[in-house]
Amino acid sequence: ERLTNLKIIENELHQKGFKNICGIDEAGRGPLAGPVVVAGVIMPADSMIEGVNDSKKVSEKKREALYDIIIKEAISYSVAIIGQDVIDEINILNATKSGVTQVVEGLDITPDLIIIDALEHIDTKGVPYESIIKGDAKCYSIGAASIIAKVTRDRIMREWDTIYPQYGFAQHKGYGTKMHMQAIREYGLTPIALMDNLGLFEQPTLAAHCVHVNDNDIKIMAQKHVCVAHNPGSNLKLASGIAPVIKMRN
């Protein structure tokens, strides 16, 4: 019954003639470190994957399993990863909106309609969209997109945990937990810190203990397909400004 209810809005849209409906959602607008990840997915009209829901309501283990099922069944899906340098430059909301545009451009199929979780004034490259408050808990495709976004971001944060294990990124994924805040106070900021979201800290003091990415870090992250670049005469940093959209299909 829960899954049937999750399909009500989309079934009505299909009946109105919208064939390819793309659900879009994001993960990572609230953390103190790490990227914001936006995902979009077009699912078959008759798709009924048990367990699809708002990613926050699904366990990490279950999300990982659902991720594989969703991308296998998807007609098309696309993911955009926006790093901390862009987020700090244009703010988290605009970074998310930029990710939405990149996701639309990355789809193999132009959708007839986009349904998105509570975002307005976005560039969807001419594709009509409907903004639905709490859409990830109300719409099947948005819920599926939220799982893709969350799993993608969690994997990125687990990779960063291998470089900075003292911060506990694998546990809190960059969110402002007590563990994360204590690590920042003790060790300083990492290159993936979101300065915009760190306003509650005394940044000058922390900056004095800033952790730099070294050459070994760059090799590790390159092997794991995380886009990085060298800033001559300075430290190595995430280069999200040139990070490609991950374009994928079934």
Side-chain angles (χ1 to χ4, degrees):
E1 183 181 351
R2 185 198 63 80
L3 201 56
T4 301
N5 291 336
L6 204 59
K7 295 278 292 190
I8 290 175
I9 293 176
E10 283 164 87
N11 286 339
E12 291 176 349
L13 292 171
H14 283 301
Q15 289 170 8
K16 291 179 181 179
F18 295 106
K19 181 181 178 182
N20 292 315
I21 300 172
C22 178
I24 295 181
D25 200 13
E26 54 73 30
R29 283 179 66 178
L32 305 182
V36 61
V37 176
V38 184
V41 62
I42 301 173
M43 301 298 293
D46 60 354
S47 177
M48 292 284 283
I49 300 172
E50 186 60 45
V52 167
N53 201 347
D54 171 4
S55 63
K56 296 184 290 295
K57 299 179 180 179
V58 183
S59 70
E60 185 170 351
K61 182 178 180 180
K62 183 65 173 177
R63 285 195 302 264
E64 287 282 348
L66 286 169
Y67 175 94
D68 293 333
I69 299 171
I70 291 167
I71 63 172
K72 182 177 181 179
E73 191 170 308
I75 294 171
S76 180
Y77 75 104
S78 174
V79 177
I81 302 168
I82 312 297
Q84 82 296 329
D85 54 340
V86 173
I87 294 171
D88 285 334
E89 180 179 353
I90 65 176
N91 76 46
I92 190 69
L93 177 59
N94 288 325
T96 302
K97 290 182 177 182
S98 174
V100 170
T101 304
Q102 293 178 50
V103 161
V104 175
E105 292 175 329
L107 291 166
D108 291 318
I109 298 171
T110 301
D112 302 308
L113 179 71
I114 289 168
I115 52 176
I116 189 165
D117 187 13
L119 269 184
E120 296 277 5
H121 309 296
I122 47 179
D123 180 6
T124 54
K125 312 309 290 185
V127 179
Y129 71 90
E130 290 189 14
S131 178
I132 301 172
I133 297 175
K134 296 184 179 179
D136 49 5
K138 295 179 180 178
C139 298
Y140 181 80
S141 292
I142 300 179
S146 77
I147 290 171
I148 294 174
K150 178 64 174 169
V151 170
T152 300
R153 188 180 184 282
D154 283 358
R155 290 175 178 178
I156 291 171
M157 297 311 293
R158 286 197 294 270
E159 289 172 358
W160 277 113
D161 187 74
T162 66
I163 293 175
Y164 299 112
Q166 67 269 42
Y167 286 84
F169 288 135
Q171 286 73 44
H172 54 68
K173 310 303 190 294
Y175 284 85
T177 64
K178 182 178 180 181
M179 176 188 185
H180 189 192
M181 292 179 178
Q182 180 57 40
I184 291 174
R185 293 188 180 97
E186 185 172 351
Y187 303 111
L189 299 176
T190 68
I192 60 169
L194 298 176
M195 303 307 291
D196 231 21
N197 290 352
L198 278 163
L200 67 161
F201 289 104
E202 214 174 295
Q203 291 178 17
T205 301
L206 292 172
H209 303 285
C210 184
V211 180
H212 296 289
V213 182
N214 58 39
D215 289 333
N216 186 55
D217 297 340
I218 198 82
K219 293 176 183 177
I220 294 173
M221 299 311 288
Q223 290 172 356
K224 294 177 179 297
H225 311 293
V226 175
C227 185
V228 288
H230 184 254
N231 181 7
S234 183
N235 61 303
L236 293 166
K237 65 176 183 177
L238 281 180
S240 61
I242 58 170
V245 172
I246 300 175
K247 184 178 180 182
M248 298 164 278
R249 62 181 298 174
N250 186 13

